[in-house]
Amino acid sequence: MADTVAATQQGGYPHFLEPLDLGFVKLRNRALMGSMHTALEETEHGFERLAAFYAERARGEAGLIVTGGIAPNPAGRVFTGAAKMDTEHEADEHKVITRAVHDNGGLIAMQVLHTGRYGYHREAVGASELQAPINFVKPKKLSDEAVHQTIADYAKCAQLAQYAGYDGVEIMGSEGYLINQFTAARTNNRDDEWGGTYEKRMRFPVEVVKAVRKAVGEKFIIIYRLSLLDLVDGGSSWPEVVQLAHAIEKAGATIINSGIGWHEARIPTIAMVVPRGIFSTVTGKLKKEVTLPVVTSNRINTPEIAEAIIARGDADLVSMARPFLADGAFVAKTRAGRAQFINTCIACNQACLDHTFSGKLTSCLVNPRACNETNLNYNRTDKPRKIAVVGAGPAGMSAASVLAERGHHVTLFDAADKIGGQLNIAKEIPSKREFEETIRYFGNMLHEHQADVRLGKKVSAEELIQAKFDEVILATGIVPRKLNLPGADSAKVLSYVDVLREKKTVGKNVAIIGGGGIGYDTALYLTDPGHKTWANPEEFAKEWGFDLKVSTRAGLTEKSPELVAAPRQVTMFKRSKGKFGNTLGKTTGWIHKITLDERTVAQFSNITYDKIDEQGLHYTLKGESKVLPCDNVIVCAGQEPLRDLEAGLVAAGIAPHIIGGALEAGELDAKRAILQGAELGARL
Ligand code: FAD
Ligand code: NAP
Ligand code: SF4
């Protein structure tokens, strides 16, 4: 947003860019690239690709990189066949990564992650035999002997990481994984030396840190990821968190990283709805208690936020994971005074976490090169051509910017008076304002690489033919699908574009036709109570029922009903059977569902639409005719491709390249549109 440019003009990010001396090693700045599983760990030739991925982030000046989680033993794996390190052979495979990072001036630590009861396999173990609400597997309780063996496995894994060339390890002690399962009464009902009192529950992580320190010697970084705010019933209290921090410090850790929220918590902690930098004050509270450097994390996606946090003294380092997927050169651009060219992570989760949880390779919606560094490159062309791109939505912006960066002569047309296409509509949804950053990034790239951007220009096939372009790309997007229903043309029927872009007046009782992503977004927009909680950490915490001061156990409090009261009654309809929300993102859909539920949005599936008249929307449900009295019916019934220029071009012997919604409207999203644009841009 505008603040990115403003801060750049003021010049400098002195606190964020300042080195951090750990005694035996110096970090070149305060940016820690947080741990992310990419699935390359389990892909053929994945380690070479991981090496290229991390090397690019090292070149981009990440201060300290942390890898995705690697299990210390088979039971600790995320799934059968997932990455582990308990043999020298497995450690040898990692050498290509550590070499690549060091060759590029970086430092890298390996995260040691034991999933405990979050393991999706039959070997899963836990502190107790208590099944996680988000897993289908009941864990086996670790015996006393097995607990000792697991501690030894952590130590051996760290030693192997050191042998593989890593500069340190991060011990994952948060997010509800095995270590948390020992520390929290919620998941630990043991009555031996590893359960009962808090002193006994926290013994496991303390012994792990001690054993790891003993195994790796003094000059090796040990980051401990400590859960500051569990956000689940039966989680840790603040005094317990502090007690553990002191013990971890004494046991030999080098750095304490912040963990926020277990995976099973029903409070958003990293999605776009979450205010930027919201949890830094919680880390600030811990920083006052310990002498080790502390790292803060979650929703830090611009250098301004990072600078403000470090300058305020809330943390010594900021952890950014997804922002380094979105832009490997985040720090280098910041240092060079080019923060306005950072491709900002918009916290959509669509190509990273949603992929991880569907077993797909991680990438990034705004940067399809992420994890594709060896197979998607924007090399300079030695044959610059004259290329027209019609449509400046995500597909067109992406293609035009890559082509211009590669040295082609690009003319980008859009009928609208600004670039962005439908992202300009998406960013009207209160929780989706981050799309503004994507538009800002592409706008700056197009300007930097001298693309000729012609706005307010609905181009015709005739004009394209006359201008004699070498290549024509149609990225003209979609048209919203209209209803074929008696009364569909009445004044009370509006499309989502009328509501979101044209801001047409909407009454107090509304029916929404369509339960896809846009139906949900329109419902969220129309029921938004207007408190802008996405920009206000305290209000957001009250809306979702937690306390940033952690004055209650695990930080949980009652939700504030006045923050969720909707300004109108909305009812959603769809024709297909089954629950609403099945097409929403895996890691964000639940947030939208809870939100609409709290705003008392009613939902009906398996509907036949009959007609719309003065009375309202007439429909049939289970053979019974019904009517919903309403002021407006909003149509969110999907889209059709807009390809009106194709026939004219083909008739003139021009074969256009077609991308984005213009190619296929079904299941289209900005991820696919940007990827197609980038792939075509790299190829031509
Ligand atoms: P468009 O974005 O439709 O762009 C096409 C452009 O072509 C338009 O700007 C149009 O003016 C221009 N054009 C057409 N014809 C001509 C012509 N003859 N001359 C000049 N210009 C022309 N996707 C996600 O991935 N995540 C989300 O969270 C998300 N949320 C959304 C929320 C809403 C409310 C909406 C409406 C969409 C959302 N989407 C989301 C979908 C996403 O915006 C679209 O998938 C994406 O914009 C499609 O990109 P596109 O470039 O193919 O087309
Ligand atoms: P969509 O997901 O395909 O949903 C369209 C809805 O319209 C469906 O619920 C469908 O349900 C209904 N429908 C289809 N044809 C109809 C007809 N002739 N009459 C009445 N109803 C009809 O499309 P969308 O909601 O417009 O979203 C467009 C794209 O944008 C999506 O593919 C999505 O990926 C993307 N998007 C993504 C997000 C995100 O958060 N990731 C958010 C918004 C949009 P029935 O057939 O059951 O009636
Ligand atoms: Fe960020 Fe979305 Fe990219 Fe994930 S896919 S890194 S959330 S922009």
Side-chain angles (χ1 to χ4, degrees):
M1 292 171 209
D3 56 353
T4 305
V5 180
T8 313
Q9 284 160 355
Q10 283 158 22
Y13 302 85
H15 300 87
F16 176 52
L17 296 175
E18 191 189 350
L20 179 68
D21 197 346
L22 297 176
F24 58 94
V25 66
K26 201 176 193 177
L27 310 189
R28 53 189 163 171
N29 53 57
R30 304 307 180 96
L32 179 136
M33 173 173 157
S35 172
M36 279 173 295
H37 181 83
T38 65
L40 285 172
E41 295 83 353
E42 292 87 20
T43 303
E44 212 186 331
H45 305 301
F47 281 89
E48 287 78 15
R49 289 178 65 180
L50 271 175
F53 168 71
Y54 287 125
E56 193 159 310
R57 273 81 196 154
R59 266 197 305 282
E61 297 185 30
L64 174 60
I65 296 170
V66 181
T67 68
I70 305 289
N73 58 27
R77 288 180 294 182
V78 184
F79 51 86
T80 309
K84 67 173 175 63
M85 189 184 281
D86 59 358
T87 65
E88 211 169 281
H89 170 69
E90 284 162 338
D92 282 334
E93 287 188 313
H94 286 246
K95 287 182 175 168
V96 61
I97 295 177
T98 54
R99 211 176 301 125
V101 169
H102 294 151
D103 287 351
N104 285 283
L107 293 170
I108 184 162
M110 187 182 92
Q111 188 185 72
V112 185
L113 164 74
H114 192 305
T115 51
R117 70 176 194 160
Y118 282 170
Y120 298 117
H121 52 78
R122 297 282 156 204
E123 288 171 275
V125 294
S128 300
E129 217 175 86
L130 296 167
Q131 192 171 336
I134 55 168
N135 200 351
F136 54 91
V137 181
K138 192 171 202 169
K140 243 181 33 215
K141 177 181 166 179
L142 285 167
S143 66
D144 177 66
E145 192 190 343
V147 175
H148 283 286
Q149 183 56 52
T150 305
I151 293 167
D153 292 343
Y154 269 94
K156 182 175 177 198
C157 182
Q159 206 167 33
L160 286 168
Q162 191 175 35
Y163 159 82
Y166 283 104
D167 304 286
V169 286
E170 175 171 85
I171 296 166
M172 178 43 145
S174 67
E175 262 67 10
Y177 290 114
L178 182 68
I179 286 183
N180 261 167
Q181 293 158 27
F182 271 92
T183 55
R186 174 186 181 82
T187 39
N188 183 342
N189 59 16
R190 305 174 73 105
D191 55 9
D192 60 3
E193 287 311 300
W194 308 100
T197 62
Y198 187 64
E199 279 70 21
K200 288 184 178 176
R201 293 204 307 273
M202 68 175 222
R203 194 176 151 216
F204 179 67
V206 176
E207 293 302 322
V208 166
V209 176
K210 276 191 200 161
V212 168
R213 177 53 79 205
K214 195 165 166 215
V216 297
E218 286 309 307
K219 295 186 177 169
F220 193 66
I221 300 169
I222 300 178
I223 308 164
Y224 182 84
R225 185 119 186 236
L226 177 68
S227 188
L228 304 190
L229 202 54
D230 287 342
L231 300 178
V232 288
D233 281 326
S236 295
S237 67
W238 185 252
E240 289 170 350
V241 170
V242 173
Q243 192 180 343
L244 179 55
H246 286 149
I248 292 297
E249 197 166 22
K250 220 167 127 203
T254 323
I255 294 172
I256 296 183
N257 193 357
S258 305
I260 305 287
W262 288 27
H263 287 317
E264 65 205 66
R266 291 296 87 179
I267 292 173
T269 54
I270 59 166
M272 222 189 282
V273 293
V274 179
R276 290 174 171 184
I278 174 172
F279 297 109
S280 59
T281 52
V282 185
T283 307
K285 197 170 152 75
L286 181 77
K287 187 167 158 53
K288 294 195 185 88
E289 305 280 352
V290 293
T291 52
L292 290 183
V294 292
V295 188
T296 192
S297 71
N298 292 48
R299 286 293 278 126
I300 298 162
N301 64 345
T302 69
E304 287 69 37
I305 305 273
E307 172 67 17
I309 289 170
I310 310 275
R312 228 174 23 238
D314 277 349
D316 301 283
L317 288 148
V318 294
S319 170
M320 294 179 285
R322 297 170 300 167
F324 276 105
L325 276 179
D327 199 329
F330 186 103
V331 183
K333 288 180 183 177
T334 304
R335 191 184 297 285
R338 290 169 57 80
Q340 69 273 35
F341 291 98
I342 291 176
N343 198 354
T344 304
C345 166
I346 57 171
C348 64
N349 285 359
Q350 285 179 240
C352 52
L353 283 173
D354 283 351
H355 278 208
T356 304
F357 285 98
S358 337
K360 291 189 207 155
L361 191 67
T362 292
S363 188
C364 172
L365 178 140
V366 300
N367 173 25
R369 283 197 67 249
C371 298
N372 288 309
E373 285 75 11
T374 55
N375 51 7
L376 180 60
N377 279 302
Y378 309 151
N379 300 322
R380 192 122 192 113
T381 179
D382 50 9
K383 289 192 192 77
R385 272 174 288 167
K386 190 177 157 192
I387 301 178
V389 181
V390 187
M397 291 191 296
S398 168
S401 127
V402 170
L403 287 165
E405 183 180 345
R406 293 186 50 226
H408 287 296
H409 305 298
V410 178
T411 307
L412 174 63
F413 300 94
D414 204 292
D417 59 3
K418 52 188 167 198
I419 61 166
Q422 288 179 69
L423 295 188
N424 289 305
I425 309 179
K427 74 182 170 63
E428 293 300 310
I429 311 302
S431 58
K432 290 198 169 174
R433 72 229 165 268
E434 291 276 12
F435 274 118
E436 182 70 40
E437 294 287 2
T438 308
I439 300 172
R440 182 263 308 150
Y441 165 77
F442 279 118
N444 287 340
M445 289 296 281
L446 290 163
H447 181 70
E448 170 93 340
H449 296 293
Q450 294 166 12
D452 178 6
V453 181
R454 300 198 195 163
L455 298 176
K457 174 72 196 143
K458 183 167 177 20
V459 76
S460 65
E462 212 29 59
E463 288 167 302
L464 292 168
I465 295 161
Q466 274 173 14
K468 296 197 186 321
F469 287 101
D470 298 322
E471 306 281 353
V472 175
I473 298 173
L474 296 183
T476 43
I478 51 84
V479 278
R481 186 176 286 129
K482 289 205 164 126
L483 279 188
N484 183 11
L485 196 66
D489 52 359
S490 93
K492 68 162 61 176
V493 178
L494 301 173
S495 77
Y496 64 86
V497 179
D498 293 328
V499 175
L500 302 174
R501 191 179 69 195
E502 306 303 327
K503 308 288 180 201
K504 294 211 172 144
T505 307
V506 177
K508 287 281 180 195
N509 273 297
V510 174
I512 291 181
I513 289 190
I518 291 178
Y520 263 84
D521 278 349
T522 306
L524 287 166
Y525 173 87
L526 288 173
T527 55
D528 185 57
H531 299 295
K532 298 193 176 169
T533 55
W534 45 267
N536 184 328
E538 274 72 34
E539 294 286 280
F540 181 81
K542 279 191 216 158
E543 179 187 3
W544 282 92
F546 66 96
D547 174 21
L548 287 165
K549 296 198 169 64
V550 209
S551 57
T552 55
R553 180 164 287 281
L556 293 177
T557 58
E558 290 297 317
K559 294 184 177 187
S560 296
E562 73 277 7
L563 286 172
V564 296
R568 56 172 62 78
Q569 182 59 49
V570 169
T571 309
M572 295 174 74
F573 295 90
K574 70 181 176 87
R575 301 167 307 175
S576 49
K577 290 184 183 160
K579 282 191 181 162
F580 268 74
N582 293 343
T583 58
L584 300 176
K586 261 193 185 316
T587 61
T588 50
W590 62 272
I591 302 171
H592 304 322
K593 287 189 226 170
I594 292 177
T595 305
L596 290 191
D597 214 29
E598 279 170 353
R599 296 180 188 172
T600 65
V601 171
Q603 295 177 326
F604 294 99
S605 44
N606 204 5
I607 291 297
T608 309
Y609 304 114
D610 298 326
K611 63 175 180 183
I612 298 164
D613 64 13
E614 277 314 298
Q615 263 188 296
L617 174 67
H618 296 253
Y619 62 96
T620 304
L621 174 61
K622 292 183 186 160
E624 214 182 302
S625 294
K626 294 177 178 265
V627 58
L628 179 88
C630 58
D631 307 307
N632 293 105
V633 176
I634 321 279
V635 183
C636 306
Q639 294 122 0
E640 309 281 357
L642 175 60
R643 280 223 292 263
D644 53 343
L645 302 179
E646 185 186 12
L649 292 171
V650 171
I654 298 170
H657 306 273
I658 306 177
I659 54 174
L663 179 66
E664 166 69 61
E667 293 175 26
L668 169 73
D669 58 12
K671 177 178 75 174
R672 196 174 87 202
I674 290 175
L675 173 66
Q676 283 178 355
E679 285 179 340
L680 179 63
R683 200 168 62 237
L684 284 183

